[in-house]
Amino acid sequence: MNDRIRVPEVRLVGPNGEQVGIVPIAKALELARESDLDLVEVAPTARPPVAKLMDYGKFKYESAMKAREARKNQAHTIIKEIKLRPKIDPHDYETKKGHVVRFLKAGDKVKVTIMFRGREQSRPELGFRLLQRLADDVEELGFVESRPKQDGRNMIMVLGPHKKKAEAKAERAASREQDAAAGPA
């Protein structure tokens, strides 16, 4: 930028994108001072290097705003965790399954953990069957991202949603708008 450019001549691009041509660095810096702009090297590897007349502060601000806008529209995938026991009551299982369904509908991943205690550790097939049953029950909403595997006293499986987080968010917003429109009528 400006005096830090160490080449004898540059291909100069004007503030509006017009080609000025190949000029000595002194003349390019003089043109920049006259128009109250900065001389910024945009393609240092080109022969000769390409420099542009621009307001560098404004350029940095605009690029920061674009980056912020891009980050704002990103969807962050969150891993929710549900813990179960091998000897789970049918009603408790339905409640936990309801939580898994809600998380998958929201576009989040779900880590299902089965905790074994005492003699339950000698029967890991009970946990495997329970995880398989849960995966089959929520098959239309999500898929098994990592198969059930034993990790010490726990057995872990990860379910991923079929819909992306952004799609789920948009769908929820559309259904809310539809409900709001149907309500007053």
Side-chain angles (χ1 to χ4, degrees):
M1 192 173 110
N2 293 336
D3 296 325
R4 292 193 197 130
I5 301 173
R6 299 276 178 230
V7 290
E9 57 184 19
V10 292
R11 181 179 304 276
L12 190 62
V13 178
N16 300 323
E18 70 277 1
Q19 294 286 333
V20 177
I22 298 172
V23 296
I25 194 72
K27 185 164 177 11
L29 285 168
E30 185 181 315
L31 285 170
R33 270 189 225 102
E34 284 174 10
S35 56
D36 199 29
L37 295 171
D38 298 310
L39 182 67
V40 180
E41 197 172 34
V42 290
T45 57
R47 290 285 160 239
V50 179
K52 185 175 181 179
L53 295 173
M54 66 168 75
D55 185 350
Y56 190 66
K58 182 179 175 184
F59 169 75
K60 278 186 69 173
Y61 173 76
E62 287 173 352
S63 62
M65 294 315 291
K66 281 182 191 171
R68 176 191 267 170
E69 195 65 33
R71 274 195 312 272
K72 189 171 90 174
N73 293 332
Q74 278 181 344
H76 301 289
T77 304
I78 300 167
I79 296 182
K80 303 283 189 171
E81 185 173 13
I82 292 288
K83 293 188 176 187
L84 305 170
R85 296 284 314 283
K87 297 180 198 167
I88 189 168
D89 188 65
H91 180 266
D92 293 340
Y93 171 79
E94 290 300 320
T95 303
K96 296 284 187 174
K97 184 181 89 174
H99 293 316
V100 171
V101 166
R102 188 179 76 224
F103 295 148
L104 289 173
K105 279 184 179 176
D108 295 322
K109 290 183 182 183
V110 182
K111 177 181 173 184
V112 184
T113 304
I114 293 191
M115 301 173 295
F116 296 100
R117 288 204 312 223
R119 292 182 185 167
E120 292 172 349
Q121 291 179 50
S122 64
R123 303 280 308 276
E125 67 276 1
L126 290 175
F128 184 80
R129 269 187 290 191
L130 185 62
L131 288 175
Q132 207 59 50
R133 180 174 145 206
L134 181 64
D136 292 341
D137 288 349
V138 297
E139 192 173 14
E140 68 277 353
L141 295 170
F143 62 96
V144 177
E145 203 168 273
S146 75
R147 309 284 320 146
K149 58 180 172 270
Q150 189 83 27
D151 182 26
R153 291 175 165 238
N154 300 326
M155 186 174 280
I156 297 166
M157 173 177 76
V158 178
L159 297 170
H162 287 305
K163 286 187 213 150
K164 299 249 185 286
K165 181 86 170 176
E167 292 172 18
K169 214 176 197 180
E171 197 173 278
R172 258 196 330 264
S175 69
R176 272 197 213 115
E177 287 176 19
Q178 205 172 35
D179 291 347

